Amino acid sequence: MKGTHLGEFEELVLLTTAVVDGNAYTVSIVSEIENSTGRKLTLSSIHTALVRLEKKGFVTSYMGGTTKERGGRRRRLYKITAPGYAALNQARETRTKMWDKIPELSFDFKGLT
Amino acid sequence: MKEKRPPKWADKILQWYCLEYYLEEVQGDLHEWYYENLKHSSRFLNLRYYILIIRYFSLTRSKSFQKLITNPNYLSMKKILLITYRNLKKDKISGFMRLANLAFGISVFLLALIYANYELNYDRFHEKGEDIYRIGQEHGGDRAWAAGPIGLGPYIMENFPDIKKMCRFIPVTETWMEAGEKKLYEDGVYYVDSSALTLFSHEMIQGDKKTALTDPWSIVLTESMAKKYFGDEDPMGKTMQLLVDRGKSRKVTGVIKDVPAQSHLQFDFLCSVYSYGDEDFQRSWRNYFVYTYMEAEKESIDKLREQVRMAFLENYGAPKDTPLVAILTPLHRIHLYTNQEKDNADHGNIYNVYILFSIGVFVLIISCINFINLTVIKGLDRAKEVGLRKTVGAFRPQLIAQFMGENMVLLLFAGICSALILVLVEPFFKELSGLELPLNFINNPQVLLSLAAILIGLELISGIYPAVVLSNFRPAEIIKPLGSTSMKLKKVGLTRKILMITQFSLSLILVIGSIIVYSQLSYMKERDLGFEKEQILLIKLNYSLNRKIEALKQSLAETTGVNHVTVSGDVPGYRISLEPMKIPGDPEEYMSRFLLTDDHFIDAYKIDIKEGEDFNDINPGQPQYIINETMAALSFGDRNPIGQQLVWRDTGRVVGVVKDFNFKSLHSEVEPLTLVRSLDNGYGYVSIQFNAKATDNVLSEIDRISNEVYPDLPKINPEFLDDRFGQLYLAENRLQTIVWFFCLITIVLTISGIFGVASYNAHKRQKEIAIRKVLGAGSSEMIWQLLKGFIVLLGSALLIGLPGAWYLANWWLQDFAYQVSINPLIFVGATIAMLVMIFLSSGLVTFKATNTNPATILKNE
């Protein structure tokens, strides 16, 4: 297996998959990300990220139901796995640790004048 | 309103590229996205849909890519590459040696191939080349003549309808050209028929092929000459004067591309032949200086040969049974295969092509043997790998594929390396050999194809053997050696020994061969020609120089440092004319080289008089002849030639016989020669014999005299006679350099071969060495133990190599008129050289092995 590093974009997609758990597929993830962050993303980039996450073992997928708009085509639903959850957690912990290390910053650059 | 639907074509594109696995999901998503967006805004929706589908395209979702990477062949190839990479990484030295061997071998072979290709492709750029012949003739078994009479062309054109086109080329030996301010000597001037540009395929830059040379006072020049005389101005319509035209001027009517190097006929200017003498002269048969080319179908050639023969006989009024043969030389054969009298073609030598090509093949074989040996040796270390693979379930074809695949990777890499080597070596090689070879063969499809063929051939030869041997090991035997495996290993050893013997023999042949080629060539260059060629300057005379010849001679003779000044019709080193001589009362004609000279020739050239004396002033009305030994033997046999009568135009007497001297290069034997004293010379040469110490003074004086005596002519450009002889040996000089170059590579390859095998042997026997050492054996004793094998191999190789080299050397030498005697020391020397190579390369390895502390080796057990 390739590296299990979680990129920024992958992390976002994985997070969203967890958020909309049970109804996580490409279209729903796109709209969820747009709603919560304002980022407009294309279907293809999300799909590519999902495929990659699946290869890394962070999500699994199964075929779900369909709607009229889909013309009878089923959707592939993605579900976060335990390793995926652990990876998310680790990313958050790393971040928290790093935040804690930041000393008090002053932004008023008085010394420069 | 019609309901809006996702465009069908977009869906088709998706279906075309998308992997089945993702199709349903992706298409569903897309449709959902489409209808979702339809609710908000339908502007450019279809276009956006298309873009989205294109953006969906990626390798992971592509049908064909996924098909490729799941293909079993791709997978095994990937595996082979991986294992090859790991093996090379594990043993860098061995990998490098194998690669270097192949790359060197292939480069040398390609070099030889490109050279042969270059030489064999002379005159191939003419579209009608296959149907063009040069007409020459041969009389009674004498040497064939390349040139013929000026009347031949028009005569055959009018009388034989099978000849489609005819073109005469009349060389102008020494002339100057004048255009505006510029007045320079030129030697690439020809008078030609107007058909020259349509018969031959020289590319026309300006002017019209068909009409450029129809006007009698027209001239066509090459691109570089146009640049030389007219700079950036348009040369068309400009006028030029030629010395030989005696005051009339010519109009430039065309510019052609420079004549390609691969052309036997090299020229810079083409003048219309119709201004060359009057109509009667154009049809005369009493001269021999015109090269006549014709175009005719292959089928009619036999008929034409007979017709041309009859044309000669009729025009000479000779009887029908005269032993004269018309020689129609196909254009392509002129460069490599002819050696005709009075030929000014750029000649190559088919023997040189053979020699270099065989060297190329030999070197390739040697490097292949090295490669095979090293591969097998390396492979034996992998016996355990093979055993394990077989145990785990690999089939033999798979193992063979693995080994052959590894070789193919190396071969491809070596092929790329050798291409790079050739490109890098190109300027260097050009400098060394003087040959303008197109070594950068990336855009030469012929060479590229042969490279591909070589690689496949090498893969078959040097890949199959190791692959078969190595894949043949049986797992049980490898892991627990029993009698049969050691037998097998011994057999591998035997083949390897045969390969080593072959390699040693070939190296011996190459080394000995190079030394003999080298010594023959330097022998030719340094042999005493029988006259003085070192301190002689030549001035070519022409019509305008000749008018004040006495003044010129006078001033030259008065110059300090000049010992002798002599005027003669021809000089040694250039072609000397051939004339029939007769003896009163003898019907026979004796063909002899014929030299018109003044009184000083014998002194100036320091020729030894054997009998009789130099020209004298007794009876000045009668011609006096001096002949050489060969001529004396030919015409007078045992009689004393002195005082005998001899007839050229007038009857005269022989006053002296000179020792034979080589007035041509040593490619040919001394021919009969007759010197005639003539007080009023035709055009020819002034030879100045000078004192070596005064060279600079003599040269500057010639400059001054040139300005003084001929104020309105271009400056005289004297030539050193030994430079001229150097030119005659140009081909030999090139061959010499190339042969050395190849010889050096052979030696390097042989050393690397020995080195490889020796290090393997030392490695295999390191335990034995260690134990012997512990038991008290000395280093020198053990080195001997390891060397012994090589000495035996060399002994067997000597049995093949020495006679082989001797035979080949004799075959090559038989073509020379003057052969160096083969010195047996060469053979001894080469043998010793091989021994030294073996001692040095294997000794070094062995010494290292024997000097290792036994404990380091034995502790591993």
Side-chain angles (χ1 to χ4, degrees):
Chain A
M1 180 172 287
K2 280 181 190 160
T4 48
H5 171 76
L6 202 55
E8 187 267 343
F9 185 65
E10 283 174 346
E11 190 186 339
L12 180 67
V13 175
L14 191 56
L15 258 175
T16 323
T17 313
V19 171
V20 288
D21 192 36
N23 187 32
Y25 67 107
T26 315
V27 182
S28 66
I29 291 173
V30 170
S31 51
E32 176 59 33
I33 290 179
E34 194 177 341
N35 287 341
S36 48
T37 68
R39 277 168 82 171
K40 284 191 179 177
L41 296 163
T42 56
L43 291 179
S44 56
S45 52
I46 298 294
H47 187 248
T48 309
L50 285 170
V51 169
R52 212 174 285 151
L53 284 170
E54 191 172 8
K55 266 196 192 142
K56 287 180 184 176
F58 291 156
V59 295
T60 56
S61 71
Y62 56 95
M63 298 310 277
T66 181
T67 58
K68 187 181 152 249
E69 286 125 32
R70 299 181 67 91
R73 296 178 189 89
R74 289 172 299 162
R75 62 186 79 153
R76 185 182 291 276
L77 291 168
Y78 294 85
K79 190 169 174 56
I80 186 162
T81 61
Y85 189 72
L88 272 183
N89 242 330
Q90 202 195 344
R92 187 174 64 171
E93 267 168 35
T94 314
R95 244 172 245 191
T96 326
K97 254 188 231 158
M98 298 296 278
W99 270 110
D100 290 347
K101 275 191 193 167
I102 299 176
E104 219 164 293
L105 294 173
S106 77
F107 291 102
D108 47 354
F109 304 109
K110 267 179 197 145
L112 288 175
T113 52
Chain B
M1 199 186 112
K2 203 182 137 205
E3 198 197 346
K4 244 187 142 178
R5 296 178 55 92
K8 271 211 184 93
W9 274 102
D11 282 351
K12 282 217 171 113
I13 294 175
L14 185 73
Q15 277 158 20
W16 169 70
Y17 76 72
C18 188
L19 207 60
E20 201 64 37
Y21 178 81
Y22 295 115
L23 186 63
E24 184 179 355
E25 170 201 6
V26 168
Q27 204 156 31
D29 287 349
L30 279 166
H31 279 217
E32 197 177 328
W33 173 88
Y34 185 88
Y35 290 114
E36 189 64 30
N37 275 280
L38 199 59
K39 287 177 203 156
H40 311 299
S41 67
S42 60
R43 276 175 66 211
F44 306 122
L45 191 58
N46 280 6
L47 183 68
R48 276 156 63 202
Y49 190 76
Y50 268 109
I51 292 172
L52 199 53
I53 282 198
I54 290 163
R55 291 185 70 168
Y56 248 108
F57 180 82
S58 83
L59 289 182
T60 32
R61 282 184 287 262
S62 153
K63 249 185 217 169
S64 36
F65 181 74
Q66 293 301 322
K67 211 188 254 167
L68 174 77
I69 60 165
T70 48
N71 184 313
N73 290 330
Y74 168 80
L75 289 177
S76 53
M77 210 134 82
K78 204 168 136 188
K79 201 187 75 188
I80 286 172
L81 280 175
L82 184 72
I83 294 174
T84 310
Y85 171 72
R86 282 183 190 156
N87 275 322
L88 286 179
K89 212 171 115 186
K90 207 162 80 187
D91 194 343
K92 288 186 193 100
I93 294 175
S94 159
F96 173 77
M97 295 244 295
R98 280 194 283 167
L99 194 67
N101 262 301
L102 274 179
F104 262 124
I106 295 175
S107 316
V108 170
F109 182 73
L110 280 179
L111 197 61
L113 192 76
I114 292 172
Y115 170 75
N117 189 44
Y118 180 84
E119 285 287 303
L120 291 169
N121 275 314
Y122 254 69
D123 294 306
R124 296 275 171 185
F125 61 94
H126 301 294
E127 277 161 41
K128 297 174 193 154
E130 295 288 332
D131 290 338
I132 302 178
Y133 296 82
R134 190 175 71 184
I135 308 176
Q137 84 284 31
E138 189 183 300
H139 187 269
D142 282 346
R143 224 168 126 207
W145 279 66
I150 190 169
L152 172 68
Y155 183 88
I156 56 169
M157 201 61 203
E158 279 157 20
N159 291 294
F160 310 135
D162 282 334
I163 296 178
K164 289 190 203 155
K165 251 182 209 150
M166 175 283 296
C167 182
R168 291 169 290 175
F169 271 75
I170 307 174
V172 181
T173 38
E174 183 71 357
T175 186
W176 42 254
M177 277 280 171
E178 190 177 355
E181 306 264 286
K182 289 211 173 96
K183 195 172 190 179
L184 301 158
Y185 279 109
E186 291 294 346
D187 51 8
V189 188
Y190 281 86
Y191 282 98
V192 295
D193 280 290
S194 60
S195 54
L197 295 169
T198 46
L199 180 62
F200 296 108
S201 309
H202 291 288
E203 206 179 311
M204 204 91 185
I205 300 171
Q206 279 176 293
D208 182 57
K209 273 190 177 199
K210 287 197 182 109
T211 57
L213 286 164
T214 44
D215 183 89
W217 296 102
S218 56
I219 183 168
V220 168
L221 53 166
T222 57
E223 205 178 358
S224 53
M225 286 300 140
K227 191 132 215 163
K228 184 165 145 193
Y229 282 92
F230 303 108
D232 294 331
E233 289 173 57
D234 182 10
M236 293 294 280
K238 290 257 165 50
T239 55
M240 298 189 91
Q241 277 95 39
L242 257 99
L243 162 67
V244 276
D245 286 336
R246 318 246 161 120
K248 290 204 78 168
S249 52
R250 293 180 173 274
K251 210 165 96 181
V252 177
T253 50
V255 180
I256 56 169
K257 279 238 161 101
D258 286 359
V259 178
Q262 279 168 290
S263 169
H264 80 280
L265 199 57
Q266 294 289 335
F267 56 82
D268 298 315
F269 301 92
L270 296 176
C271 305
S272 173
V273 76
Y274 311 115
S275 54
Y276 193 78
D278 54 16
E279 182 64 16
D280 275 355
F281 180 71
Q282 292 267 340
R283 289 174 178 276
S284 66
W285 283 71
R286 290 281 160 202
N287 44 55
Y288 262 89
F289 58 93
V290 179
Y291 305 105
T292 313
Y293 297 85
M294 62 164 204
E295 183 198 343
E297 300 272 345
K298 253 196 189 75
E299 293 74 38
S300 57
I301 284 307
D302 287 332
K303 195 171 104 198
L304 276 172
R305 194 172 288 124
E306 194 48 33
Q307 285 179 333
V308 173
R309 176 182 127 84
M310 293 316 287
F312 270 105
L313 297 183
E314 253 167 55
N315 282 283
Y316 287 134
K320 285 206 167 171
D321 56 348
T322 308
L324 184 141
V325 191
I327 297 193
L328 306 180
T329 317
L331 191 65
H332 303 155
R333 293 184 67 84
I334 294 176
H335 173 68
L336 278 182
Y337 298 95
T338 62
N339 180 20
Q340 298 174 346
E341 180 63 35
K342 196 150 187 180
D343 192 354
N344 63 346
D346 169 13
H347 276 298
N349 185 337
I350 188 73
Y351 281 98
N352 290 0
V353 177
Y354 288 150
I355 289 180
L356 288 183
F357 194 70
S358 13
I359 292 180
V361 173
F362 279 10
V363 171
L364 188 63
I365 293 178
I366 291 179
S367 70
C368 273
I369 291 178
N370 274 350
F371 180 75
I372 294 175
N373 269 338
L374 290 168
T375 312
V376 172
I377 288 166
K378 213 49 239 160
L380 291 177
D381 285 343
R382 289 169 66 185
K384 275 194 184 130
E385 177 194 331
V386 172
L388 195 62
R389 277 173 191 277
K390 280 196 170 176
T391 316
V392 176
F395 291 109
R396 206 170 153 205
Q398 283 173 327
L399 286 169
I400 291 181
Q402 168 70 40
F403 283 114
M404 290 193 66
E406 283 190 38
N407 282 342
M408 198 69 223
V409 172
L410 273 175
L411 274 169
L412 277 177
F413 206 54
I416 295 168
C417 285
S418 57
L420 285 177
I421 289 177
L422 285 189
V423 172
L424 287 178
V425 114
E426 187 175 18
F428 183 63
F429 186 78
K430 202 176 271 176
E431 180 116 335
L432 270 180
S433 70
L435 283 174
E436 296 268 333
L437 286 188
L439 291 187
N440 187 347
F441 60 86
I442 307 298
N443 35 27
N444 186 342
Q446 261 175 319
V447 180
L448 275 183
L449 272 181
S450 16
L451 177 63
I454 294 169
L455 290 184
I456 293 170
L458 285 183
E459 170 72 9
L460 291 179
I461 297 166
S462 62
I464 284 183
Y465 173 73
V468 168
V469 169
L470 298 179
S471 61
N472 204 13
F473 295 135
R474 298 227 182 95
E477 289 165 4
I478 287 161
I479 292 161
K480 190 174 170 51
L482 292 168
S484 65
T485 301
S486 52
M487 275 297 289
K488 210 165 268 160
L489 285 173
K490 230 177 215 163
K491 242 199 300 188
V492 171
L494 185 68
T495 325
R496 224 171 56 228
K497 270 178 195 152
I498 292 171
L499 288 178
M500 283 302 282
I501 292 173
T502 318
Q503 189 187 39
F504 281 176
S505 320
L506 287 178
S507 312
L508 269 172
I509 291 175
L510 280 179
V511 171
I512 294 173
S514 324
I515 297 172
I516 288 175
V517 167
Y518 193 85
S519 54
Q520 166 69 20
L521 297 178
S522 27
Y523 167 78
M524 279 175 70
K525 283 191 290 185
E526 279 147 30
R527 195 184 129 109
D528 182 20
L529 294 172
F531 68 92
E532 176 64 56
K533 74 168 158 72
E534 300 300 333
Q535 283 131 38
I536 286 190
L537 274 166
L538 298 176
I539 297 174
K540 274 188 199 166
L541 291 176
N542 54 41
Y543 168 71
S544 46
L545 287 181
N546 222 32
R547 280 190 301 187
K548 293 188 197 161
I549 183 75
E550 285 309 321
L552 176 66
K553 264 169 84 172
Q554 189 66 33
S555 335
L556 286 174
E558 281 164 7
T559 306
T560 21
V562 171
N563 299 333
H564 299 280
V565 177
T566 177
V567 181
S568 55
D570 296 303
V571 283
Y574 283 93
R575 181 180 174 273
I576 296 180
S577 59
L578 196 57
E579 296 282 335
M581 304 295 296
K582 287 190 138 192
I583 299 172
D586 184 348
E588 195 84 22
E589 269 188 356
Y590 298 99
M591 293 304 283
S592 168
R593 296 284 164 185
F594 191 80
L595 208 51
L596 285 162
T597 69
D598 61 11
D599 292 347
H600 309 291
F601 190 82
I602 303 268
D603 285 338
Y605 281 89
K606 295 189 180 153
I607 298 164
D608 289 337
I609 296 185
K610 197 182 154 208
E611 283 173 69
E613 54 187 353
D614 202 346
F615 296 123
N616 55 49
D617 286 328
I618 310 164
N619 206 352
Q622 196 188 39
Q624 291 182 346
Y625 298 108
I626 292 177
I627 57 179
N628 70 354
E629 289 169 297
T630 313
M631 180 62 185
L634 177 77
S635 48
F636 301 111
D638 294 337
R639 287 176 288 162
N640 181 7
I642 304 295
Q644 297 277 4
Q645 286 191 315
L646 207 57
V647 188
W648 177 52
R649 284 178 185 149
D650 301 310
T651 308
R653 286 189 188 277
V654 176
V655 296
V657 175
V658 291
K659 271 198 181 159
D660 277 346
F661 62 96
N662 285 93
F663 48 85
K664 291 163 87 179
S665 66
L666 286 173
H667 295 98
S668 46
E669 279 180 60
V670 176
E671 290 173 78
L673 175 74
T674 308
L675 285 86
V676 188
R677 178 157 71 150
S678 155
L679 296 176
D680 54 332
N681 293 293
Y683 306 164
Y685 298 84
V686 178
S687 316
I688 304 155
Q689 204 269 318
F690 61 94
N691 196 335
K693 281 179 196 151
T695 314
D696 293 335
N697 181 44
V698 172
L699 286 174
S700 60
E701 278 297 292
I702 291 176
D703 260 12
R704 192 186 59 77
I705 293 167
S706 165
N707 284 336
E708 198 177 285
V709 182
Y710 306 106
D712 52 342
L713 293 182
K715 209 170 258 180
I716 289 172
N717 207 359
E719 183 189 15
F720 286 96
L721 183 61
D722 53 339
D723 283 354
R724 170 60 191 169
F725 271 88
Q727 265 174 41
L728 294 179
Y729 295 120
L730 207 59
E732 277 72 23
N733 280 335
R734 288 171 181 177
L735 184 65
Q736 220 169 10
T737 330
I738 299 173
V739 163
W740 264 131
F741 184 62
F742 283 2
C743 178
L744 202 72
I745 286 177
T746 313
I747 291 173
V748 171
L749 286 180
T750 312
I751 289 178
S752 90
I754 300 171
F755 197 77
V757 175
S759 31
Y760 171 75
N761 279 351
H763 180 71
K764 279 284 131 172
R765 293 172 72 178
Q766 60 183 2
K767 270 186 199 136
E768 180 196 328
I769 293 168
I771 292 171
R772 275 175 195 269
K773 213 171 166 188
V774 171
L775 293 179
S779 274
S780 58
E781 196 180 322
M782 264 154 358
I783 291 176
W784 172 242
Q785 279 283 331
L786 288 167
L787 272 177
K788 212 167 58 185
F790 282 110
I791 306 291
V792 173
L793 289 181
L794 179 65
S796 331
L798 287 176
L799 292 179
I800 305 166
L802 295 185
W806 193 78
Y807 176 79
L808 286 174
N810 274 312
W811 171 80
W812 183 70
L813 283 174
Q814 73 184 2
D815 213 46
F816 288 88
Y818 298 91
Q819 299 165 4
V820 67
S821 52
I822 299 178
N823 191 341
L825 277 181
I826 294 174
F827 291 80
V828 180
T831 312
I832 291 174
M834 289 293 285
L835 268 176
V836 170
M837 279 197 268
I838 289 175
F839 273 116
L840 283 184
S841 50
S842 77
L844 197 76
V845 176
T846 323
F847 182 73
K848 221 175 109 194
T850 52
N851 257 19
T852 324
N853 186 351
T856 34
I857 295 158
L858 291 176
K859 74 180 175 196
N860 285 334
E861 197 71 357

